[in-house]
Amino acid sequence: MADATRPGPRQRLGARPRRVFGVMVGGMLLAVLLNAPALEQGAASMPYGRERDFWLAIWKPFATVSRLLFLDEPRNLLDRALGHSDSDLFELPASPDDVPPPGEPPPAGHTATPGKGTPAPNPTPTPQPRPRLRTPTAAEPLRVWMGGDSMAKVLGEALVRQASETGLVTVTHDPQLSSGLTRPDFFDWPGHFDQLVRSGGYEVFVVMFGANDSQGIKTPDGQIFQPGEPGWSAEYRRRVAGVMDLLGGGNRLVLWVGQPIMRSAEFSQRMAELNAIYREEAAKRPWVQFIDLWPLFQSPSGGYAVYLADDDGVVKEMRHPDGVHLVRAGGERAARAIMAVVRAEAGIP
């Protein structure tokens, strides 16, 4: 006689799928909560617009719960290690040379952002003498930092090689791929530069930005402008000027490298507009020199060229198939232009 209190085979089998389903749903929910801050950050890093707003609305509630339960701490540790920031506002730290002693007001020409204490770049920089680099020796080589976005990767590798050949210059290579000056939430360049300057470890800064910067930009008061709008250029110029001011001082030389011509005519036009900002702001500051790569990578007719005759007269491939980046020969070509300036400024034969 069957036991009425004992579940039959159909009942036992029916309970198991429900339990498995519950475990699967719970596991998926836990996975979402663990990764919700990253998903929210990924949505926030999208170009400003409706799609970004939609995904932010989806992931924000999950991210809020994750933070309340402290499930975001492992991700926060990783983001801090990678230089990611929660803020998409471009906040400029005070230059170490401009930090006043405790109790004293900030120097003339700088204004503090309410609640932040960070100075805005001076639209008319205080006149300073042109930096004078010391003549390096093998025992005390010139200390150079080189970095920026992905365009600085191959170029920086070439610069490291060429500098090492002199025996008088050492280069620290620090590219951050996919970064730029428009999205500090992806990589906080102002904060990174502040640390580099305060370390006192570098006499020359070689920087290259622009390839990732032609996207929406947010002003300190929360307005969003797209490339081509007057507000975009004004905010981007403010950031470029601020970085130039931050890196200057203390006989430091800043070499701001412009973007080369691109295969896409539209992208080339955007890069030419950024180059104009770099050139104009550099001209206001004796400690900044603009290095123009555009003519180095033009064809004889003035257009884009994949292959060009190098300094030795041999035709070489200079550009990546993506029509944007440099390959090794192109990096060497650009690095030679930079090293020529470094040699002249430091008195290296």
Side-chain angles (χ1 to χ4, degrees), residues 152-335:
K153 184 177 185 302
V154 172
L155 192 161
E157 293 167 352
L159 190 65
V160 170
R161 284 192 293 271
Q162 295 183 21
S164 66
E165 292 171 357
T166 68
L168 301 172
V169 181
T170 60
V171 177
T172 298
H173 189 208
D174 188 16
Q176 299 294 332
L177 307 187
S178 301
S179 70
L181 299 183
T182 58
R183 298 302 297 268
D185 51 331
F186 179 79
F187 187 81
D188 181 17
W189 275 112
H192 190 55
F193 281 139
D194 185 48
Q195 293 177 357
L196 293 174
V197 170
R198 290 179 184 277
S199 74
Y202 303 102
E203 300 163 274
V204 180
F205 282 93
V206 183
V207 300
M208 188 176 191
F209 292 112
N212 301 310
D213 283 345
S214 187
Q215 57 176 297
I217 199 169
K218 180 182 283 189
T219 63
D221 60 1
Q223 295 186 74
I224 295 175
F225 294 100
Q226 300 298 331
E229 298 176 347
W232 192 97
S233 298
E235 173 60 16
Y236 192 75
R237 183 182 294 274
R238 181 188 76 88
R239 299 182 181 198
V240 170
V243 170
M244 289 180 175
D245 290 345
L246 176 61
L247 295 178
N251 262 346
R252 290 186 297 272
L253 177 66
V254 180
L255 303 181
W256 199 286
V257 184
Q259 292 291 322
I261 186 172
M262 303 295 180
R263 181 172 60 195
S264 163
E266 181 183 0
F267 193 43
S268 274
Q269 178 59 35
R270 281 183 272 167
M271 293 303 99
E273 292 168 359
L274 298 188
N275 283 348
I277 293 176
Y278 306 148
R279 187 193 305 274
E280 291 164 6
E281 293 304 315
K284 301 175 184 177
R285 296 163 171 82
W287 61 91
V288 183
Q289 290 191 45
F290 175 72
I291 297 181
D292 190 3
L293 298 186
W294 200 277
L296 291 181
F297 293 95
Q298 284 182 302
S299 68
S301 62
Y304 175 84
V306 176
Y307 295 89
L308 291 168
D310 209 351
D311 292 353
D312 56 9
V314 178
V315 175
K316 299 176 182 177
E317 184 180 19
M318 299 286 175
R319 306 301 291 271
H320 191 274
D322 64 8
V324 175
H325 293 87
L326 306 175
V327 295
R328 177 163 180 167
E332 297 288 345
R333 186 183 187 94

